[in-house]
Amino acid sequence: MSKIPIYFFPGMSSTSLIFEHIFFDESKYELVFLEWLPVEKKENLDQYTQRYLPLIKHENPVLIGVSFGGILAQEISKLISVKKTIIISSVRSNKEFPKLFHFARKTGLYKCLPTSMVNTIFGWIKKTASAKRKKRLELYDRYLPLRDKKYLDWAIREVLKWKQDYTLNNVVHIHGTRDEIFPFKNIKSAITIEGGTHAMIITKYKWFNNNLETLI
């Protein structure tokens, strides 16, 4: 029996390292971990998505995406045949965005975010942080290393301008009740993880290891 291919897409600013605690039986599954491609400033999400297609070498793969990676996985699923798309800590349409996202998009407020200062601000916080907070900041450094201005400006803009206003079929949505980025109250239909935060792919990895294979 041939293996089922699974392609993984990390969240905004993160790498495939966020999946380091997720395990599958590799005698049954072929795992492919994709990273964020370099972005072009004027490139929209549709154009960017097209650049991933040559990287998907299997027919009817399973796509698993976290946060913005879940949005990217859904965009890819519109262009190729997939066995299933699983999104984690993400949204199935822009109607599930919090009100702040809609406000930022309409007003252009997102253009004022000090993305060029992220690393500087991060450094200041680390210098004055308590030992407990420093440990948390070390995790941010490990799992959220993509913080250059060009990438952040592009990613924030393309999330806010996501045109998807209806839910796609064949998408399994897994969401935590304590998600700070996409509040659970806005999510229409998802498998619920009690107490799960936006980082639950890392903090609740045992749940995923016990349940992902069944969902596939």
Side-chain angles (χ1 to χ4, degrees):
M1 185 177 70
S2 60
K3 296 181 183 180
I4 296 173
I6 306 177
Y7 285 76
F8 294 83
F9 300 85
M12 184 188 296
S13 292
S14 62
T15 69
S16 61
L17 196 60
I18 64 170
F19 300 110
E20 66 176 340
H21 299 304
I22 305 301
F23 295 101
F24 282 89
D25 182 346
E26 293 192 36
S27 68
K28 299 178 183 177
Y29 302 95
E30 184 167 350
L31 311 181
V32 182
F33 297 92
L34 296 178
E35 308 292 354
W36 289 102
L37 300 175
V39 301
E40 297 296 333
K41 186 175 180 180
K42 295 183 179 180
E43 185 177 40
N44 63 36
L45 184 58
D46 291 340
Q47 295 166 326
Y48 185 75
T49 301
Q50 289 282 346
R51 292 205 275 128
Y52 275 90
L53 300 187
L55 304 180
I56 299 175
K57 308 292 187 181
H58 303 82
E59 293 184 359
N60 296 313
V62 174
L63 309 180
I64 297 180
V66 173
S67 191
F68 187 21
I71 289 175
L72 178 60
Q74 290 176 88
E75 288 300 304
I76 291 172
S77 76
K78 297 179 194 177
L79 303 175
I80 64 172
S81 295
V82 301
K83 178 180 175 65
K84 188 169 290 185
T85 303
I86 298 175
I87 65 170
I88 300 163
S89 305
S90 190
V91 289
R92 292 182 67 187
S93 79
N94 57 27
K95 292 181 179 178
E96 294 183 328
F97 283 165
K99 289 181 180 178
L100 181 60
F101 279 36
H102 295 292
F103 177 76
R105 177 182 177 175
K106 287 178 181 177
T107 61
L109 185 64
Y110 66 93
K111 298 175 185 177
C112 302
L113 293 173
T115 49
S116 62
M117 295 287 290
V118 168
N119 284 318
T120 303
I121 294 168
F122 195 77
W124 290 341
I125 294 171
K126 284 174 79 172
K127 285 181 181 178
T128 59
S130 63
K132 184 178 180 181
R133 181 167 288 183
K134 278 182 180 176
K135 273 195 168 182
R136 181 172 292 180
L137 292 173
E138 286 171 5
L139 291 176
Y140 291 157
D141 263 343
R142 178 174 175 79
Y143 293 115
L144 299 171
L146 306 180
R147 298 193 292 257
D148 67 278
K149 176 177 171 56
K150 183 178 179 181
Y151 169 79
L152 289 175
D153 286 347
W154 176 86
I156 292 167
R157 182 191 76 210
E158 293 308 310
V159 168
L160 293 178
K161 290 189 171 184
W162 192 36
K163 295 177 286 189
Q164 190 67 30
D165 58 2
Y166 64 93
T167 57
L168 300 175
N169 295 323
N170 204 28
V171 174
V172 176
H173 187 178
I174 306 169
H175 211 81
T177 59
R178 293 178 57 199
D179 194 295
E180 317 91 302
I181 306 299
F182 299 122
F184 185 73
K185 65 181 181 180
N186 297 328
I187 303 303
K188 308 303 180 188
S189 177
I191 296 168
T192 302
I193 297 185
E194 198 65 39
T197 66
H198 199 65
M200 67 183 183
I201 190 64
I202 299 165
T203 60
K204 300 282 188 181
Y205 67 89
K206 290 181 181 178
W207 185 96
F208 291 99
N209 286 334
N210 290 332
N211 292 279
L212 275 179
E213 189 169 345
T214 302
L215 293 173
I216 291 171

